[in-house]
Amino acid sequence: MTRVDWARIAASVRREQERMIWRPYGAPDILDLERTSFHDAAVSERWDLSEKLIVSVAVTGAFFRKAQNPHQPITPDEIRASAAEVAAGASTIHVHVRDDRGYNALSYERFAEVVRPLRAQFPQLAVDGCLVPALPGEWREMQRVLASGLLDAAPLNATATHVGDSLFAKPAAVLMEKARLVVEHGLAPEIAVYTDADVSNADRFLLRSGVVATPAVWLVLPALPGCMPMDNPRQMAEGLLRVTGTIRDVDPGAVILVCAAGRASMLLATLAASLGLHIRVGMEDTYWLWPHRDDRLESNAQALSVARAISSATGRPIASHAEYRALTGIAPRAVAR
């Protein structure tokens, strides 16, 4: 057991006359957060954070079915209705479409069924769609969607990883050719990374080749099984700082959106917003609300409501449709007269 020399402590307290040491050299001020009395240079300045917070809502994704989340939007009507519910309050919307069995699909008709009514209701809403050609005929269908003018942006998945029990890999040539087509058709490319190694892939194949110009829009999608591990707060903080720092190394002006994904869910979004990054919420990337509880997302409107609270807590108003376009360099849409 530790022995404390209380007699020595008592003698020291008497020597200090039972007082702390206090020298108010800056009197009459005690503490000033902005300056010192010894010179006129600022000693504490405003942080260099984006004033506006981009909030993307990813409506349904490709992963989760009704078995995982009974509230998951699956049909075109469900996806469209869920997107319309959040479109006014979100900065942008990210959509997938599903087939009749509930699996991810690449279908011009289904994208049109979802997106055209949104365009009529929200003319300047930027919509990006996931165009991942995985089955025969889907490459041609992707080209139809790109040429249609339905979308403003499309992700480029610079990854080769086991997501859950599935291998998801984009061969370098396919990645580069898809990027060329996205840019050629006037859509904004969004570089999606699942691990920090994907940043190297994107740099080697997309940035150094000049196929994608910088500054670019980046999507960070960690915390899913097989992606960047975020199984506790330390992993979450270290992982996010590492991957975003790696992105800044290759693209200093990058616009980075962090997905509220997996178990990390809304705490990851909160950390990202606190770091001056932007966020993507919604039912695509998780069905959890919080990492330490089992509450499940019931709607995309609920996810947007939490994003609003994050926006308020971090003092960063959610970017409007027009502000999102300005921040990402996506041109305004011509409005039909």
Side-chain angles (χ1 to χ4, degrees), residues 211-272:
V211 176
V212 174
T214 57
V217 176
W218 295 70
L219 301 172
V220 177
L221 181 51
L224 298 175
C227 301
M228 179 184 301
M230 291 190 175
D231 296 327
N232 55 57
R234 176 187 56 79
Q235 286 186 359
M236 179 178 71
E238 292 178 353
L240 183 59
L241 288 171
R242 177 177 171 84
V243 70
T244 55
T246 305
I247 291 171
R248 298 283 189 213
D249 286 341
V250 300
D251 185 3
V255 177
I256 303 174
L257 282 77
V258 178
C259 303
R263 268 290 183 183
S265 56
M266 291 300 182
L267 286 193
L268 176 56
T270 303
L271 175 61

Side-chain angles (χ1 to χ4, degrees), residues 164-181:
D165 296 333
S166 302
L167 175 60
F168 180 38
K170 188 70 68 71
V174 173
L175 173 66
M176 295 180 70
E177 177 62 7
K178 178 182 175 181
R180 184 189 70 80
L181 291 171

Side-chain angles (χ1 to χ4, degrees), residues 78-118:
E78 290 173 342
I79 295 169
R80 182 178 62 251
S82 189
E85 193 176 16
V86 297
S91 307
T92 183
I93 296 292
H94 173 72
V95 295
H96 288 241
V97 291
R98 307 287 190 100
D99 64 18
D100 291 338
R101 298 177 302 159
Y103 292 110
N104 191 68
L106 210 171
S107 162
Y108 165 76
E109 285 75 18
R110 294 197 177 218
F111 270 110
E113 192 175 347
V114 170
V115 175
R116 289 201 192 282
L118 292 174

Side-chain angles (χ1 to χ4, degrees), residues 188-224:
E190 301 171 333
I191 303 173
V193 295
Y194 298 69
T195 71
D196 50 359
D198 295 345
V199 180
S200 175
N201 295 337
D203 181 39
R204 288 183 296 147
F205 301 127
L206 300 180
L207 303 189
R208 292 179 184 267
S209 66
V211 176
V212 174
T214 57
V217 176
W218 295 70
L219 301 172
V220 177
L221 181 51
L224 298 175

Side-chain angles (χ1 to χ4, degrees), residues 2 94 239 275 282:
T2 302
H94 173 72
L275 292 172

